[in-house]
């Protein structure tokens, strides 16, 4: 059974790798060329070899905290993945569970281990990792954008409210009423205020 499974995987990886353009295969293979610290010398073994190792490590990294820098880093990851040029229908007839298994293997295996695999398997494992990470990074960017917008909105609302309260305090003779109105608008944005009932007897 084990031999049958290996034979089936071999046939499937040959099929998957054959769907990739030659340029994409070269870029995928280059991801693990000289990517280990012990065999990555100052020269690095070619232009793609020098640039590629950080790409694979970067793609595997988890996102940082919500910040503009994190968003820019995730955008760089997404651009690096898309630069490989994976066809959108590469895994269209492969079960998601199989793709997820390949992705998991590529994520934990070292570059030196990945280089020991036959080219079709090596390319398929890395392509699965890139395919899945593209989706994950896109989801992360959406979440970061939403969180950033909410954070900006919260800060802006707080700043505006503080400015209004400070302005109300300066209104001669009505500072207490206006101050309570401002506080009530924050404490009951849709309830008491809408019914004309503001804490402190300001409802009239």
């Amino acid at each position: 059974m084990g031999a049958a499974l290996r034979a089936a995987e071999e046939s499937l990886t040959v099929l998957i790798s054959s769907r990739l353009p030659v340029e994409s295969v070269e870029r995928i293979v280059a991801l693990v060329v000289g990517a280990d610290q012990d065999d990555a010398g100052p020269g690095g073994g070619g232009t793609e070899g020098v640039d590629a190792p950080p790409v694979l490590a970067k793609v595997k990294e988890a996102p940082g905290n919500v910040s503009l820098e994190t968003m820019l880093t995730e955008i760089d990851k997404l651009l690096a993945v898309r630069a490989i040029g994976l066809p959108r229908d590469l895994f269209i007839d492969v079960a998601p569970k199989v793709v997820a298994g390949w992705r998991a293997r590529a994520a934990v295996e070292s570059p030196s281990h990945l280089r020991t695999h036959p080219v079709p398997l090596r390319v398929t494992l890395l392509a699965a990792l890139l395919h899945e990470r593209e989706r994950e990074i896109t989801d992360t960017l959406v979440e970061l954008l939403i969180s950033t917008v909410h954070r900006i909105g919260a800060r802006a609302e707080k700043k505006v409210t503080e400015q209004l309260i400070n302005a109300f305090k300066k209104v001669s003779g009505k500072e207490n009423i206006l101050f309570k109105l401002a506080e009530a608008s924050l404490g009951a944005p849709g309830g008491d205020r809408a019914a004309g009932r503001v804490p402190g007897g300001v409802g009239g």
Side-chain angles (χ1 to χ4, degrees):
M1 182 174 290
L5 289 173
R6 286 192 295 272
E9 182 181 65
E10 181 179 349
S11 298
L12 188 54
T13 57
V14 169
L15 174 63
I16 295 299
S17 60
S18 69
R19 294 174 177 173
L20 289 163
V22 175
E23 296 81 4
S24 297
V25 172
E26 292 175 349
R27 294 179 189 129
I28 292 174
V29 170
L31 289 174
V32 293
V33 172
D36 295 300
Q37 291 183 353
D38 55 355
D39 59 21
T47 304
E48 279 193 322
V50 173
D51 296 336
V55 171
L56 183 59
K58 183 189 297 184
V59 167
K60 291 182 178 182
E61 287 178 353
N65 296 326
V66 178
S67 67
L68 177 59
E69 182 179 355
T70 299
M71 289 187 65
L72 294 176
T73 299
E74 294 302 302
I75 290 172
D76 285 342
K77 291 182 189 178
L78 187 59
L79 293 175
V81 172
R82 290 182 175 177
I84 301 297
L86 297 180
R88 301 188 66 85
D89 59 350
L90 182 61
F91 298 104
I92 191 170
D93 53 356
V94 181
K97 185 176 181 180
V98 174
V99 179
W102 286 336
R103 177 239 191 272
R105 286 175 61 183
V108 299
E109 289 187 5
S110 65
S112 59
H113 191 182
L114 286 166
R115 288 197 298 269
T116 64
H117 295 311
V119 172
L121 177 57
R122 187 191 325 166
V123 168
T124 299
L125 292 177
L126 288 168
L129 173 64
L130 296 169
H131 174 78
E132 294 291 286
R133 286 297 289 143
E134 181 177 7
R135 298 169 60 183
E136 294 165 0
I137 293 168
T138 301
D139 290 343
T140 297
L141 275 170
V142 172
E143 293 172 1
L144 286 171
L145 179 59
I146 292 173
S147 298
T148 301
V149 169
H150 285 173
R151 178 173 293 185
I152 292 173
R155 289 178 178 176
E157 181 179 349
K158 181 179 179 181
K159 183 177 180 180
V160 170
T161 302
E162 289 175 350
Q163 290 175 345
L164 286 173
I165 292 175
N166 290 333
F168 291 162
K169 286 181 178 180
K170 296 178 182 179
V171 178
S172 176
K174 297 185 179 180
E175 60 269 19
N176 290 332
I177 294 176
L178 293 173
F179 182 76
K180 290 178 180 179
L181 281 171
E183 287 187 321
S185 69
L186 296 178
D192 291 343
R193 181 178 54 170
R197 298 189 298 273
V198 178
V202 192

